[in-house]
Amino acid sequence: MNKILIAGTSSGVGKTTVSMGIMSALKNRNLKVQPYKVGPDYIDTSYHTYITKRNSRNLDSFMLDDEKIKYLYLKNSKDADISVIEGVMGLYDGFGIDIDSCTSSYTSKILKAPVILVIDGKSMATSAAAMVLGYKSLDENINLRGVIINNIASKSHFDIVKQAIEKYTDVEVLGYLPRNIEFSLPSRHLGLIPTVEMNELEQKFIDLAKTIEEHIDIDRLIQISKSQDVVSKFKSDLPKFENVTIAIPYDKAFNFYYWDNIDMLKDMGVNIKMFSPLNDKNVPECDGIYIGGGFPEIFAKELEGNKSIREDIKRYHDNNKPIYAECGGLMYLGESIVNKDNEEYEMVGILKGKSEMSKSLKRFGYAKGIALIDTTISKKEDIVMGHEFHHSEFITNEECAYEVKKERDFKIIKEWMGGYQKKNTLATYLHTHFYSNLNIPINFLNKVVENK
């Protein structure tokens, strides 16, 4: 199978730009490119999807064991010509200090994927070789096959850095990106702005692909991508739920989903209907609702203005139809959202309370929720693995359904209460991957069937 993992020495070295550029260049060669992202990121994956026209998948070894990661990789790459995996943070950065804990390096070993390392070459010459040598030698089981140098001042600067790296290491240099290339993407408090909000992206990626082809040896990269196959022992043996329809909002306000979650529901026989809380007047006829995260605070005025669909969702709740909401979905199901300008907008009102935006992250990182009661997706004492990443706080007197714990290096470093169960509605800041615990979608769909 043809596959590569593009890693960085740290965040901010140009890993995402290089990854998107390589995907664009490969797509321009009429190759079927299957994109992936290490970790829980939703926004980078939206760009991967836009470029390749194939849904980008998350490879998250906090929520998924090795066999499930290999299974999902095989499932999604089976008809692709090449898979491109964008790493997270630096090559060895993950959960704690263990280099085999949720790192890009560990993911490369699980999938036997050759690694291409992106480094920042600004103001460097031979010292770049020491950097590459250090990344290669820290874990000799990493198949580090190539280097791409970002932020290069000139062709002569590149030649010096390339010669140094190839003299003092056995890693070949595949090319570079010039300093100050005309490529940028707007961002906000959670990172890049998702593609569903962006216009005129096509020309940006055409230009980026041209730059990549001019300065990076794509032919050699394709040769390096020819690598050992992987085999998974995981068997997906899920029950079928015929004649069940789940409605899922997808628009500018709500678009943070693991596509493997949605595909799993489809594999279980579920009919999926997408709708827009911004534009549609009613929820499509359905048996349950699954609301992902996104940026409801940015579109709070428009969400408030669409009163009919808010009332429709409240009616589904009042009629005991199961609703499962994550992060932005939780914010939407409260009584109101107070944005960063202290403007307050009315929301659905299932949960008593309001979401207030903050200047800094309120929660960030992996966590696990222990159910204090039976919920729409779990039984009492079940553990839900997930991550939180939000600039808001839900102010409420509603009782919490989960005790949430954040651990690092086998020590609990933070604990808090979260998640709210009301009738058959569960709303929580915790994002989870359904493959982390197959009982999560089963419990949800069983609840749906019980209340049809």
Side-chain angles (χ1 to χ4, degrees):
M1 279 187 156
N2 288 22
K3 55 186 179 290
I4 54 166
L5 186 146
I6 301 171
T9 53
S10 67
S11 296
V13 298
K15 173 181 74 268
T16 297
T17 299
V18 170
S19 297
M20 291 191 295
I22 287 173
M23 290 177 193
S24 298
L26 293 169
K27 183 70 168 56
N28 286 352
R29 294 183 175 207
N30 295 317
L31 295 174
K32 294 179 182 177
V33 183
Q34 177 56 51
Y36 295 91
K37 173 71 179 181
V38 178
D41 188 284
Y42 295 107
I43 300 177
D44 287 353
T45 53
S46 75
Y47 284 87
H48 299 172
T49 298
Y50 180 90
I51 292 164
T52 66
K53 313 307 179 191
R54 294 169 67 99
N55 289 328
S56 184
R57 312 295 173 145
N58 295 80
L59 302 171
D60 192 319
S61 54
F62 177 81
M63 287 185 268
L64 306 174
D65 64 35
D66 296 1
E67 297 305 316
K68 288 177 182 175
I69 286 178
K70 288 188 283 188
Y71 169 82
L72 291 173
Y73 165 77
L74 291 166
K75 180 175 186 282
N76 293 304
S77 293
K78 61 185 178 183
D79 64 338
D81 296 314
I82 185 170
S83 297
V84 179
I85 306 160
E86 181 187 345
V88 62
M89 299 183 290
L91 176 60
Y92 294 109
D93 298 323
F95 191 52
I97 63 171
D98 184 349
I99 62 173
D100 284 338
S101 179
C102 309
T103 60
S104 301
S105 60
Y106 186 64
T107 303
S108 76
K109 291 191 290 188
I110 293 171
L111 297 178
K112 301 176 182 177
V115 174
I116 308 299
L117 185 68
V118 179
I119 70 171
D120 186 345
K122 183 180 180 181
S123 303
M124 255 205 288
T126 307
S127 293
M131 180 181 292
V132 174
L133 187 62
Y135 277 83
K136 181 172 176 58
S137 62
L138 184 61
D139 186 347
E140 294 180 353
N141 294 315
I142 297 299
N143 185 17
L144 180 53
R145 295 291 305 278
V147 173
I148 293 172
I149 311 165
N150 192 23
N151 218 356
I152 287 291
S154 63
K155 178 62 164 58
S156 59
H157 179 204
F158 168 68
D159 290 339
I160 291 171
V161 179
K162 173 181 166 67
Q163 289 167 19
I165 291 172
E166 294 185 341
K167 177 177 180 179
Y168 294 107
T169 80
D170 60 354
V171 182
E172 64 182 295
V173 177
L174 301 179
Y176 70 101
L177 280 187
R179 188 176 302 168
N180 300 323
I181 63 169
E182 293 183 4
F183 179 80
S184 63
L185 296 169
S187 61
R188 62 163 70 104
H189 51 276
L190 295 183
L192 294 175
I193 294 177
T195 55
V196 292
E197 297 181 47
M198 298 282 288
N199 296 317
E200 300 177 355
L201 276 176
E202 195 70 32
Q203 189 60 49
K204 283 181 177 286
F205 291 120
I206 290 172
D207 294 341
L208 179 59
K210 183 180 178 181
T211 300
I212 291 286
E213 285 279 10
E214 288 176 356
H215 298 285
I216 294 174
D217 190 344
I218 297 298
D219 291 326
R220 180 59 183 143
L221 184 142
I222 293 171
Q223 291 175 351
I224 289 172
S225 76
K226 300 181 192 312
S227 51
Q228 191 175 351
D229 289 349
V230 295
V231 177
S232 174
K233 298 176 184 177
F234 175 74
K235 303 295 182 185
S236 179
D237 187 18
L238 294 164
K240 296 293 184 181
F241 290 81
E242 305 295 343
N243 302 314
V244 169
T245 298
I246 300 297
I248 298 177
Y250 191 87
D251 57 16
K252 291 180 179 180
F254 302 99
N255 49 75
F256 289 2
Y257 295 96
Y258 293 124
W259 287 105
D260 285 318
N261 285 5
I262 296 174
D263 284 352
M264 177 189 273
L265 294 176
K266 292 178 180 179
D267 291 343
M268 296 170 78
V270 174
N271 179 36
I272 300 294
K273 291 183 179 178
M274 298 291 195
F275 71 99
S276 171
L278 289 172
N279 303 313
D280 294 333
K281 294 303 179 184
N282 299 99
V283 177
E285 192 64 34
C286 63
D287 306 303
I289 303 173
Y290 168 28
I291 309 175
F295 289 105
E297 69 274 16
I298 302 297
F299 302 96
K301 183 177 181 180
E302 293 90 334
L303 291 169
E304 179 188 67
N306 195 348
K307 185 176 180 180
S308 65
I309 202 162
R310 289 191 288 111
E311 291 177 340
D312 216 17
I313 292 172
K314 180 68 162 53
R315 177 175 61 82
Y316 269 82
H317 164 79
D318 292 339
N319 291 336
N320 287 318
K321 296 294 184 183
I323 301 174
Y324 171 49
E326 295 179 337
C327 201
L330 160 64
M331 297 167 67
Y332 184 51
L333 297 186
E335 292 177 300
S336 65
I337 290 177
V338 181
N339 69 14
K340 62 182 178 63
D341 297 321
N342 207 34
E343 299 165 334
E344 188 165 359
Y345 296 96
E346 186 176 350
M347 294 293 120
V348 174
I350 291 173
L351 302 174
K352 301 300 179 184
K354 61 183 177 180
S355 299
E356 294 184 350
M357 300 306 297
S358 60
K359 293 182 179 179
S360 60
L361 283 167
K362 301 302 293 185
R363 302 278 183 226
F364 171 68
Y366 292 123
K368 61 181 181 181
I370 298 95
L372 302 173
I373 57 174
D374 287 353
T375 76
T376 302
I377 66 167
S378 55
K379 304 298 183 185
K380 184 178 179 180
E381 299 184 356
D382 281 355
I383 294 176
V384 178
M385 307 294 286
H387 81 280
E388 292 195 16
F389 188 64
H390 51 93
H391 271 262
S392 67
E393 185 173 7
F394 189 60
I395 311 300
T396 183
N397 290 321
E398 299 273 16
E399 291 189 11
C400 292
Y402 290 90
E403 180 183 14
V404 187
K405 298 184 179 183
K406 185 174 183 177
E407 298 178 351
R408 185 175 296 153
D409 300 321
F410 307 106
K411 294 180 181 179
I412 296 173
I413 59 172
K414 285 186 181 179
E415 295 181 88
W416 62 93
M417 305 296 285
Y420 309 95
Q421 180 73 32
K422 202 163 187 179
K423 288 191 173 182
N424 285 323
T425 294
L426 172 66
T428 172
Y429 272 118
L430 199 66
H431 296 273
T432 193
H433 198 297
F434 288 175
Y435 274 92
S436 66
N437 182 344
L438 301 185
N439 286 325
I440 289 173
I442 293 172
N443 290 333
F444 178 48
L445 294 176
N446 279 334
K447 186 69 69 174
V448 168
V449 171
E450 289 170 13
N451 290 278
K452 282 191 69 172

